Amino acid sequence: NRIFMSLKYSTTTADYLVWSDAMNLIRKLAKDGNYKMSLLIALGCFTGLRISDILALTWEKILNTEEFNITEKKTGKRRTLRLNPQLQQHIQECHEHIQPLKDTSYILVSQKGTVFTIQRINVILKEIKKKYRLKVKNFSCHSLRKTFGRQVYNMNSENSELALVKLMELFNHSSIAITKRYLGLRQEEILETYDFLTF
């Protein structure tokens, strides 16, 4: 299967989900009452934000809005993000079910009332991978950002260079080569070389 070819030879630590699998997972988690993880995965896949930036989000920032600004923790750069209507609706739905004490609170708070750590989220994602039998080798926080990147790239396949330029900007990479490697495209291109050899 071509889709998983990159996973087989992948040396990166996180793998991406096929978009339809990611969307199914968001729906299943919500159906099973796990609104926090459903929201996390939706935000990760639709915005491409780093996990550190998602964990820093408060309800008031993302509720009833089309756009919001953040200052990226890792780079210190300011960014504007847009939430499409479907995602806005999902945020609303999650908010109703999670019922945070106040809208100034962080969106991903544990039972103890503290913001989840990245380590804890990775443990939860491993459990989710097992429970929902996800077809990925390594499923971690980083997988969401890569899922976003792959989908943006796949949707713009007729103009892949432009897609890569956009992603390079969004991911704050210093070159297209880094973006390609990040998305596992470089490895795929190398492996495709073999496909052109005929007997």
Side-chain angles (χ1 to χ4, degrees):
N1 190 332
R2 274 289 297 285
I3 293 170
F4 300 117
M5 198 162 101
S6 63
L7 304 185
K8 209 158 108 188
Y9 305 100
S10 168
T11 48
T12 48
T13 47
D15 300 318
Y16 64 92
L17 284 175
V18 176
W19 189 254
S20 56
D21 290 350
M23 296 309 102
N24 282 333
L25 180 61
I26 292 166
R27 283 192 284 270
K28 280 180 193 165
L29 286 164
K31 201 169 130 271
D32 293 344
N34 193 344
Y35 289 96
K36 286 177 187 171
M37 287 305 117
S38 181
L39 179 63
L40 166 76
I41 292 166
L43 283 169
C45 291
F46 278 94
T47 65
L49 280 173
R50 286 187 186 87
I51 186 67
S52 54
D53 294 323
I54 293 175
L55 292 175
L57 293 173
T58 57
W59 284 104
E60 61 182 353
K61 199 152 194 77
I62 63 169
L63 210 54
N64 307 315
T65 185
E66 283 178 24
E67 287 183 358
F68 66 94
N69 296 308
I70 62 153
T71 301
E72 290 188 340
K73 278 202 150 110
K74 188 175 175 179
T75 61
K77 287 184 183 168
R78 276 187 69 71
R79 259 182 77 183
T80 301
L81 291 109
R82 186 169 286 171
L83 303 171
N84 75 23
Q86 278 177 301
L87 184 55
Q88 288 175 47
Q89 200 182 332
H90 190 63
I91 290 168
Q92 190 73 46
E93 191 186 321
C94 290
H95 180 262
E96 281 164 23
H97 286 92
I98 293 168
Q99 295 187 331
L101 293 169
K102 47 191 190 298
D103 287 347
T104 50
S105 45
Y106 293 106
I107 59 166
L108 292 165
V109 177
S110 70
Q111 302 283 277
K112 291 195 274 285
T114 55
V115 176
F116 283 107
T117 62
I118 294 174
Q119 290 78 4
R120 180 76 193 114
I121 298 250
N122 279 328
V123 168
I124 295 168
L125 291 178
K126 276 191 184 62
E127 290 164 2
I128 287 173
K129 177 198 153 172
K130 216 167 121 181
K131 182 177 176 183
Y132 295 95
R133 296 193 176 94
L134 300 179
K135 300 187 203 83
V136 283
K137 200 166 66 191
N138 301 308
F139 187 50
S140 70
C141 297
H142 232 73
S143 301
L144 311 179
R145 194 165 153 85
K146 287 192 174 180
T147 299
F148 164 81
R150 282 307 282 233
Q151 181 62 3
V152 169
Y153 180 77
N154 293 339
M155 279 167 46
N156 296 286
S157 54
E158 68 289 338
N159 198 344
S160 55
E161 280 307 304
L162 181 64
L164 286 167
V165 170
K166 283 185 200 167
L167 286 167
M168 180 184 95
E169 288 228 343
L170 280 166
F171 287 150
N172 267 322
H173 289 161
S174 54
S175 74
I176 283 185
I178 291 170
T179 305
K180 285 173 101 163
R181 203 166 54 231
Y182 180 77
L183 294 174
L185 294 168
R186 193 75 201 96
Q187 186 65 25
E188 268 173 37
E189 282 173 3
I190 292 165
L191 290 170
E192 273 169 10
T193 313
Y194 297 107
D195 297 341
F196 297 119
L197 304 170
T198 54
F199 203 83

